Structures are given as C-alpha cells and as structure tokens.
Amino acid sequence: MSITGIKGFNDILPGEVEKWQHIEAAARRVFGLYGFSEIRVPILEKTELFCRSIGDSTDIVEKEMYSFVDKGENKVTMRPEGTASIMRAFIEHKLYAADPVAKLYYMGPMFRYERPQKGRYRQFHQIGAEVTGIADPKVDAQVLTMLCHFFAELDLTEPHLQINSLGCPECRPKYRQVLKDFLKSRIDKLCDDCRRRIDTNPLRALDCKAAGCKEATEGAPSVLDYLCHDCNDHFAKTRCHLESVGTSYSINTRMVRGLDYYTRTTFELVTGLLGSQSAVAAGGRYDGLISDLGGPSLPGIGFAMGVERVALLLAEKDFRKRPDFFIAALGETAQAEAFRLMSGLQQKGRSVEMDFAGKSLKSQMRRADKFNAHFTLILGEDELVKGSAALKNMDSGTQTDVRLDVDVLCKAVAS
Ligand code: HAM
C-alpha cells in the first residue's frame, strides 16, 4: 500500500503553487513600498518561548502545539505562529541596538493541532509583518493600511477590516473583572471550556462559537467603555488616521484574539466567503511582549495572514504562466530543428514547450492548447527546406510567415 501524507498537512501542487507565488510576490512588492525587510527564522523553537508569549491559558498553548522532547532532552515546539520567534530573534541579535524601529516581514509554515476543515489545517502558512519601536497610532494606521493595500493589490475587495482595542495592563484588569462578574451571573449557559477559563481568560467567552456562550454573552459589557485615558486617545487617533487615508473599517468590540500578548489595537480582516474560518488576516499591538521576552521596553505591532485562506479567496483565478511558444514538429529532422530553436529561444529569455514523443500533429496541437501558449510554430519537411514557417498567434488566430531564426522569432513575439 502506498504511503499518504498526514491529515491536515497539504501538498501544494503545480497549478496551485502559481497562485501562492502570486500572493507572495504581491506581499513582497507592497511591503517593500512601506520599507519592510524580510526575516527568516527557524521552524523549531524552545517550547517556553510560546508559553511565555502566546500565554499558558490560550487554546494554542493548551491544546494545539506540536511539542516534543528531542534527543538531547530539550522541550521544543514547531512554531504555531511567527511573532514570538521574530521577537526572540530581534532580542537575541540585538537588532534594536542599531535602531529600535524594525520593520520586518516573514512567510512560512506554522503548525497547530486543530481539527482540519476547509481553511483550517495543521500545517498552514502565514505571511506576516511586525513593526517595533513606534508607539504612535500613525503606525497602527499604517500597518492596517498596508494590509488593506495588499488585498487591493490582489484585486480582492472581500475581506473587511474590523478593529478593536483591548486596553493595557492598567485598564484591562478592570474590564476583566466586570466581564468576569457578568459571566458568573450566567455561568450555567457557558460551555465547559469557558467555565473553566472564567478566572484565567474570561475574554475568550466573547469569541466562543458554542451556542450557549453566544447567548450568555449577548449584552456583555464593551471593552471600549473601560479604556483608560491613554488607550482611549490611542484608539481615537488610530481611527482618525485610518479615516484620513481612506482605509475603511468597522468596530467589533467582541473581537478578543486568541493570543495573550495583545495590548490596545487589535484587528481582523474577515470574510463571509470561507464559512466558519472567517479571519483571513489578524493582528494587533503588543507593547509588553518584547520586554516580557527579556528584551528592552519597546512597543510592537503586526499581523499575519493565512495564505491558504487568501488562496481560497482567489480560487477562480488561474495564475499559471503561459509559455511564449509551442513548437510542433513532424519528423525527426524537424524535431531536431525544433529542439535547436527551443533551446536558442530559452537562452534569450523566452519560455518554450515542445513535444518530445514524436506524436501526430493533431496530438501536438492538443498539447499546445493545454499549455495555452501565446504562439505556435509548426515545422515540417517543407518549412525546413524553405527556412521559414507559419507562426500562429493563438489569441487572435492570425498567422505570419517567419524565418526560422531565434532573433527573428524573438522579435515577432515582442511586436
Ligand atoms: P492568528 O490570528 O492566530 O494570529 O493567525 C493569523 C491568521 O493565520 C489567521 O487570521 C488565519 O488566516 C491564519 N490561520 C491561523 N490558524 C490557521 C489554521 N489552522 N489553518 C489555516 N490558517 C490559519 C497570529 O498568528 C499572530 N502571530 C498575528 C500577529 C502578528 N499579531 C501580531 N503580529
């Protein structure tokens, strides 16, 4: 019996991979405009890094991490997200010493032991960006605008930006207490998880999908009513800056995020097109994380998008590259000439396909259709004798007679 892949771990096959390259190229292009540089960090980190940053009472750390003890008795984890690793690297290499402001982006696989379904996998891919060292709300607006710019670059209008503020260590405890009291008054309606977490992580109940929790949290107090003066001011200014550059958003006071490091601005780009996996991208400010991980006291903000979810939104589009030429050749001599021309054209930067199996002209033309080449050149004995052949533009259907010369063929395609 043949061996299959692991559940929740997907192959990204040719045909689909071109969509991924398109998404990655758009991210590099757009993030470059905003001055971001790429950073690459390892997949495996010490387990402690994620417990300390994401938080012990989160679903990710409690239930979803791929953790194991390696042969050297070290507790290690396959990263469930990128922010903790990027900040670990930022601190470890003292990137802040040269400049506390770092604008970094990353792409790669992440691992969470979740129940797989459409848009939710155990190995999934994120493209993310992080900014350190700027507390000013203009950077909140800039990061959000860059994220929306990325989706516009892909011609996707669907994901809609929702924002919230989770306050800071000064004002959040007050809100947590008020929410805890509210939830305790309706505890019999809550699911087991939310009941258990009522003291450690009461905010998660606002985000819980269980019907009882949804009902119990209707009319729950809003976090925005409990922000301290500075957090309130930060949120108001973030909104103002978003509006000044035309980045549209709505406020969702029930958005709590599943990671503990967030402070102040949090956000999600949501869509109705992916069923229950509605968040295509998400992130927020984490002004305490860098110091919590042993670094200097510097603020941070960032986001990550799920590449599989972005790819699902682009489902209808075909990003496969069309070859410039398909050369059909009949007979051994013509095949040899086709091979010589193909190689010459490729050296000049043109993409070319031909059939190597010596099939009939009909079958070769079927192959040309499959490749969807821009131009087809048909070579037979007569063409070899004449030194020229009909070059067919496959979009317009027009044919021109061209000399069998690499430079002439290149020019014919360029015009
Ligand atoms: P997150 O909300 O856990 O945030 O994940 C960000 C995005 O990754 C989600 O919105 C979703 O598109 C995608 N994603 C998450 N889990 C899965 C999964 N199992 N399958 C497919 N896609 C998934 C973070 O990871 C934070 N590090 C974001 C951030 C960066 N915050 C600040 N900087």
Side-chain angles (χ1 to χ4, degrees):
M1 214 169 59
S2 62
I3 299 170
T4 56
I6 300 169
K7 189 174 165 195
F9 286 63
N10 299 319
D11 300 307
I12 303 148
L13 302 176
E16 174 70 3
V17 93
E18 290 77 5
K19 196 180 289 168
W20 285 58
Q21 290 165 345
H22 182 78
I23 295 168
E24 288 160 5
R28 290 182 197 284
R29 206 160 51 238
V30 172
F31 298 175
L33 296 174
Y34 293 76
F36 282 69
S37 314
E38 186 175 358
I39 181 166
R40 299 185 189 193
V41 292
I43 283 167
L44 211 58
E45 297 274 3
K46 291 179 183 161
T47 300
E48 190 196 346
L49 172 68
F50 302 114
C51 298
R52 232 209 274 175
S53 53
I54 298 171
D56 281 323
S57 65
T58 57
D59 276 352
I60 296 179
V61 171
E62 267 186 357
K63 312 183 206 166
E64 296 169 1
M65 293 210 301
Y66 276 87
S67 299
F68 58 95
V69 178
D70 73 7
K71 290 191 169 61
E73 301 292 311
N74 306 297
K75 287 186 183 152
V76 292
T77 296
M78 288 162 73
R79 61 182 187 192
E81 59 113 45
T83 313
S85 306
I86 307 297
M87 290 309 126
R88 194 259 318 130
F90 175 75
I91 298 164
E92 186 173 338
H93 302 287
K94 296 192 174 56
L95 298 187
Y96 53 83
D99 188 350
V101 178
K103 294 193 274 184
L104 306 166
Y105 78 87
Y106 52 95
M107 21 187 100
M110 309 290 160
F111 305 86
R112 295 185 195 175
Y113 194 84
E114 294 192 82
R115 200 163 44 78
Q117 53 175 260
K118 182 182 172 193
R120 187 166 71 194
Y121 311 101
R122 290 181 173 167
Q123 173 175 308
F124 60 99
H125 296 74
Q126 286 187 340
I127 297 179
E130 315 287 348
V131 182
T132 63
I134 310 176
D136 192 286
K138 280 198 278 304
V139 86
D140 302 45
Q142 193 188 34
V143 162
L144 285 169
T145 300
M146 179 173 91
L147 183 55
C148 294
H149 185 162
F150 164 81
F151 282 98
E153 182 84 0
L154 292 179
D155 285 330
L156 285 173
T157 47
E158 168 54 28
H160 171 74
L161 174 62
Q162 295 188 339
I163 63 169
N164 193 20
S165 174
L166 292 181
C168 67
E170 200 189 303
C171 54
R172 197 178 323 159
K174 201 156 43 149
Y175 175 66
R176 267 172 65 118
Q177 190 54 51
V178 172
L179 184 66
K180 223 187 283 180
D181 294 344
F182 176 87
L183 293 173
K184 280 189 174 156
S185 71
R186 291 149 182 247
I187 198 158
D188 46 321
K189 290 206 177 95
L190 298 180
C191 72
D192 289 349
D193 263 358
C194 288
R195 224 179 274 183
R196 185 174 50 78
R197 285 195 299 217
I198 204 160
D199 287 314
T200 52
N201 206 344
L203 273 72
R204 292 299 301 174
L206 294 176
D207 196 32
C208 183
K209 303 275 185 294
C213 297
K214 277 190 177 156
E215 196 192 322
T217 56
E218 255 170 47
S222 158
V223 62
L224 296 182
D225 292 334
Y226 292 86
L227 296 182
C228 62
H229 173 270
D230 287 354
C231 287
N232 207 20
D233 188 52
H234 187 94
F235 194 56
K237 285 185 172 147
T238 300
R239 293 182 56 188
C240 241
H241 295 308
L242 284 172
E243 282 154 29
S244 81
V245 295
T247 301
S248 55
Y249 66 89
S250 61
I251 293 176
N252 176 3
T253 57
R254 294 173 68 94
M255 184 208 304
V256 296
R257 309 285 300 119
L259 305 95
D260 280 357
Y261 50 62
Y262 291 114
T263 52
R264 294 193 167 169
T265 315
T266 52
F267 51 88
E268 287 185 354
L269 263 109
V270 295
T271 173
L273 299 178
L274 300 180
S276 56
Q277 307 313 311
S278 59
V280 182
R285 199 165 253 294
Y286 45 86
D287 291 346
L289 177 62
I290 298 173
S291 58
D292 285 351
L293 290 176
S297 176
L298 287 173
I301 181 170
F303 64 78
M305 67 184 88
V307 183
E308 285 81 357
R309 295 184 191 179
V310 180
L312 281 168
L313 291 180
L314 291 172
E316 301 309 315
K317 300 191 182 167
D318 186 353
F319 293 97
R320 275 174 299 185
K321 292 247 167 14
R322 298 176 63 184
D324 295 317
F325 291 98
F326 184 88
I327 308 179
L330 282 175
E332 221 167 283
T333 329
Q335 287 256 323
E337 174 63 2
F339 178 71
R340 193 189 65 80
L341 286 171
M342 177 173 80
S343 185
L345 287 165
Q346 286 165 335
Q347 306 290 329
K348 299 260 175 187
R350 308 290 164 178
S351 52
V352 191
E353 293 286 346
M354 68 173 278
D355 166 57
F356 287 93
K359 295 252 175 72
S360 68
L361 183 61
K362 202 167 153 203
S363 142
Q364 291 192 47
M365 290 317 283
R366 266 204 304 273
R367 213 165 155 70
D369 276 345
K370 186 175 149 240
F371 281 117
N372 196 18
H374 287 286
F375 289 89
T376 308
L377 190 70
I378 301 174
L379 296 185
E381 295 288 328
D382 291 352
E383 284 76 11
L384 292 189
V385 173
K386 272 195 306 178
S388 68
L391 181 69
K392 184 170 179 187
N393 181 323
M394 300 302 277
D395 294 326
S396 64
T398 52
Q399 288 200 20
T400 41
D401 206 46
V402 287
R403 204 145 49 80
L404 297 179
D405 175 275
V406 169
D407 290 325
V408 173
L409 283 164
C410 279
K411 224 182 262 165
V413 176
S415 59

